[in-house]
Amino acid sequence: MCTRVHANLFPLTDTDLANGWSALHNQAHNGMALQQNSNRLAFADPEFMFRRETRGIRMQLELLKPDLAQIERGIENTVVVYGSARFVDLEQAEQQLADAQASGDAQRIAVAERAVRNAHRYEQARAFTRIVAADSLNQPPEERLYICTGGGPGIMEAANRGAHDVGAPSIGLNIELPHEQNGNRFISPDLSFKFHYFALRKMHFMMRAKALVAFPGGFGTLDELFEVLTLMQTGKTHSVPVILFGTEFWKRLLNIDLMIEEGTISPKDLQLFRYTDDPVEAWALIKQFHAGGW
């Protein structure tokens, strides 16, 4: 509340801070030379802000900026969708297959056939978030659920796209990578955030999450999934429904029975998640959890 009050009483545009930012912007975009280090405002000194010693400040800002933006939009509840960045939609996959078949290259055909199989996962993710977003639009604003993804291509794009299909806003928490991943075109422009720190991005995934749905994916998906399961298992965060979408994939990948047999997890840990292969069932499981648990 204090943040909002101060923001209203002292708008940034009416302070010397805005002038400092304007000066930095002019230097960056108009070819103006930066002043000597000692003569710059600390927050407008990029060399100072990127020092190792100011990492804590950068982390605070990276936590605060997306949080304030979502508070201002009234976003308090999200459904987070994880999954591979490598899947494409069915139309693209079928075109890839047609091109591969025309080439006669057996290896290329095999890769394209796999892309078609995985494209069905893209379409399921899109269908799932379309259901969630459409249902949520009928709820009072304070009870609405917003789709939140990692902001990239593949399953993330599909999930943002499903919300976009029904005119619902959605969130993208993108990460700055060496190969420059950008936010997909279906994220609401004012809810497309970019992170430098994976840790802060993960915190934002969980801060408002009322459910997490993991579609097949790679190391990134597994990292995010196990982070959430660990936090819930250890009681470091509130419990939310975790849905593993794609039963065959997840059961082939994760030998949960072995972990129980070897005593590395408890049988009760099976209650942390559910499997499904159907977008409608996934949404029903989430509602069931919040209606009284599994």
Side-chain angles (χ1 to χ4, degrees):
M1 180 175 291
C2 290
T3 301
R4 292 179 182 173
V5 170
H6 286 301
N8 291 333
L9 290 177
F10 306 108
L12 184 61
T13 53
D14 292 348
T15 69
D16 290 338
L17 295 178
N19 295 332
W21 174 250
S22 177
L24 179 62
H25 184 275
N26 287 336
Q27 289 164 341
H29 295 275
N30 297 333
M32 295 172 61
L34 286 171
Q35 295 175 331
Q36 293 297 316
N37 287 357
S38 60
N39 234 0
R40 302 177 200 160
L41 291 170
F43 80 93
D45 183 345
E47 292 165 359
F48 172 72
M49 287 298 293
F50 279 91
R51 287 175 62 104
R52 179 171 61 86
E53 295 88 346
T54 57
R55 180 179 295 156
I57 299 171
R58 297 195 302 273
M59 294 178 77
Q60 286 180 299
L61 292 173
E62 195 154 281
L63 177 65
L64 185 61
K65 180 181 176 181
D67 190 33
L68 291 178
Q70 290 176 84
I71 289 172
E72 290 166 1
R73 285 289 301 267
I75 297 173
E76 294 297 337
N77 308 299
T78 61
V79 173
V80 178
V81 180
Y82 300 140
S84 176
R86 303 187 180 196
F87 300 162
V88 298
D89 64 30
L90 190 57
E91 182 180 356
Q92 292 181 69
E94 288 177 341
Q95 184 59 56
Q96 290 176 13
L97 180 57
D99 293 342
Q101 289 171 336
S103 74
D105 185 323
Q107 183 175 1
R108 187 177 169 189
I109 291 171
V111 170
E113 288 174 341
R114 183 181 65 193
V116 171
R117 292 196 304 273
N118 286 331
H120 289 287
R121 305 186 192 281
Y122 179 109
E123 301 301 336
Q124 287 175 317
R126 182 180 177 184
F128 166 71
T129 57
R130 189 187 300 122
I131 292 168
V132 175
D135 197 338
S136 292
L137 285 174
N138 294 321
Q139 306 304 317
E142 66 274 11
E143 296 179 14
R144 288 177 184 168
L145 292 167
Y146 296 82
I147 299 300
C148 177
T149 78
I155 292 296
M156 296 172 280
E157 175 188 290
N160 290 120
R161 188 173 181 178
H164 184 271
D165 287 342
V166 297
S170 68
I171 304 155
L173 307 181
N174 212 329
I175 187 76
E176 189 175 40
L177 298 173
H179 54 268
E180 191 60 30
Q181 174 177 295
N182 292 311
N184 69 67
R185 67 187 188 279
F186 298 106
I187 305 167
S188 300
D190 60 334
L191 296 173
S192 183
F193 305 104
K194 178 164 280 192
F195 290 79
H196 175 75
Y197 298 104
F198 271 105
L200 274 299
R201 182 177 181 241
K202 288 178 182 178
M203 286 187 67
H204 272 284
F205 278 135
M206 284 301 296
M207 282 171 63
R208 290 173 167 80
K210 296 299 181 286
L212 297 111
V213 183
F215 283 78
F219 292 153
T221 301
L222 293 174
D223 175 47
E224 291 154 354
L225 172 63
F226 278 102
E227 176 101 4
V228 171
L229 292 176
T230 301
L231 289 170
M232 289 169 51
Q233 182 198 49
T234 57
K236 294 293 287 184
T237 190
H238 59 283
S239 293
V240 298
V242 175
I243 310 296
L244 302 184
F245 202 107
T247 305
E248 182 183 5
F249 174 89
W250 288 112
K251 287 192 172 183
R252 286 180 61 194
L253 179 65
L254 307 177
N255 193 339
I256 301 296
D257 291 338
L258 173 64
M259 298 173 76
I260 293 174
E261 289 171 10
E262 294 297 325
T264 59
I265 65 171
S266 302
K268 67 178 183 180
D269 292 330
L270 291 173
Q271 297 303 311
L272 294 173
F273 58 88
R274 290 287 187 273
Y275 299 101
T276 190
D277 298 289
D278 177 51
V280 174
E281 183 182 41
W283 181 223
L285 286 169
I286 292 169
K287 291 193 289 185
Q288 178 186 341
F289 179 95
H290 287 291
W294 289 336

